Amino acid sequence: YLLICVFIIFLWLFLPTFTLVIFLIVATYHFGKEDVLYNTSQNFFKFLLLGSPIILAPLSFHFEETLNIFKILYIENQNFINALFFFEEKNIFTILLIIFLVIGWYYSGYENATQFFLEKAGIIILNFTCHPLIAFTIYFCFLHSIRHSFKLSSELNEKDFKKGFREFLNKALPLTLITAILFIVCVIFLTNYYVLSEAIYKVIFIGLASLTFPHILLEYLIEKNER
């Protein structure tokens, strides 16, 4: 697990554009799978549709700010940047967002469509009114992570959610503290070379990418073993 984390960090430093694109695809799949369809059959493209608003919304509503974040993350490939500008000028990000929302609703699997629309409307409003980093942080901490934590708590103790949640906290707290300490140490170290805001962006997104890949791989192996 840790070796994969380190590998992703080095891969980002040497091939930032390639790693960013792969990370966005993997993250979109992960958000679509975890946030909507826990009990559905595996379908990669369906999950991409359902998770796509998380990636498309900031590009649709705050393109310049999102592009600046990409540049801070060492994205300097001019062909990639030109492609992003072309999509933005033609409103392709917004068109794709609307199309994927419609198709995503059709494939969502929700018995009550109201839940789907409320969640996606919240994501759209967040990204329309807030800076991309703030919008993503609110979504990740207060929707995605909370939902995932409740799911894990239920799995730890199917009969008593409170006991399962306490067990989850006991298991998660040490790792959370270690992660927080590493975050602070990395930010302090990078402030020797970058301004504080750039150091925070680098640690958040490159660090998140390094954790996302082994996290998804571990979930895949667990599900495969259960089957």
Side-chain angles (χ1 to χ4, degrees), residues 188-208:
I188 293 174
F189 173 77
L190 288 177
T191 51
N192 294 319
Y193 306 95
Y194 307 98
V195 298
L196 179 61
S197 60
E198 292 187 2
I200 291 175
Y201 281 127
K202 294 179 192 296
V203 174
I204 288 177
F205 289 103
I206 299 178
L208 184 61

Side-chain angles (χ1 to χ4, degrees), residues 25-173:
I25 294 173
V26 170
T28 301
Y29 164 83
H30 177 66
F31 293 142
K33 178 177 182 293
E34 292 296 323
D35 286 352
V36 182
L37 300 175
Y38 288 118
N39 300 316
T40 190
S41 58
Q42 298 291 328
N43 188 313
F44 181 78
F45 293 103
K46 188 186 295 186
F47 293 150
L48 283 180
L49 286 172
L50 294 167
S52 61
I54 309 303
I55 307 301
L56 291 174
L59 287 167
S60 300
F61 302 124
H62 294 279
F63 177 78
E64 292 294 339
E65 292 93 332
T66 305
L67 183 61
N68 286 335
I69 293 175
F70 288 169
K71 291 180 178 179
I72 291 172
L73 301 177
Y74 309 113
I75 307 304
E76 299 176 350
N77 186 300
Q78 197 57 48
N79 291 329
F80 178 73
I81 293 174
N82 290 339
L84 291 178
F85 272 113
F86 175 80
F87 273 55
E88 194 272 336
E89 290 173 357
K90 302 298 182 181
N91 294 315
I92 295 177
F93 290 122
T94 303
I95 294 171
L96 288 175
L97 177 61
I98 295 171
I99 293 174
F100 287 178
L101 281 172
V102 173
I103 300 177
W105 167 78
Y106 178 78
Y107 283 121
S108 65
Y110 280 130
E111 295 181 1
N112 185 359
T114 303
Q115 183 180 357
F116 176 87
F117 281 117
L118 285 176
E119 289 192 6
K120 299 309 177 187
I123 291 170
I124 298 301
I125 292 171
L126 270 176
N127 282 277
F128 183 77
T129 57
C130 301
H131 185 276
L133 178 61
I134 296 175
F136 178 77
T137 301
I138 293 174
Y139 158 77
F140 189 82
C141 294
F142 297 102
L143 179 60
H144 177 74
S145 295
I146 288 179
R147 192 204 307 273
H148 196 53
S149 299
F150 285 176
K151 175 177 177 287
L152 291 174
S153 299
S154 299
E155 291 177 353
L156 288 170
N157 194 318
E158 297 179 357
K159 296 182 179 179
D160 191 329
F161 175 79
K162 290 183 179 180
K163 290 183 178 179
F165 186 66
R166 285 196 295 269
E167 186 176 351
F168 166 77
L169 289 178
N170 290 333
K171 293 177 180 294
L173 186 58

Side-chain angles (χ1 to χ4, degrees), residues 5-6 8-13 16 19 23 72-74 190 198-213:
C5 291
V6 175
I8 294 299
I9 292 173
F10 278 100
L11 186 64
W12 195 300
L13 295 177
T19 313
F23 170 59
I72 291 172
L73 301 177
Y74 309 113
L190 288 177
E198 292 187 2
I200 291 175
Y201 281 127
K202 294 179 192 296
V203 174
I204 288 177
F205 289 103
I206 299 178
L208 184 61
S210 71
L211 295 174
T212 297
F213 283 94

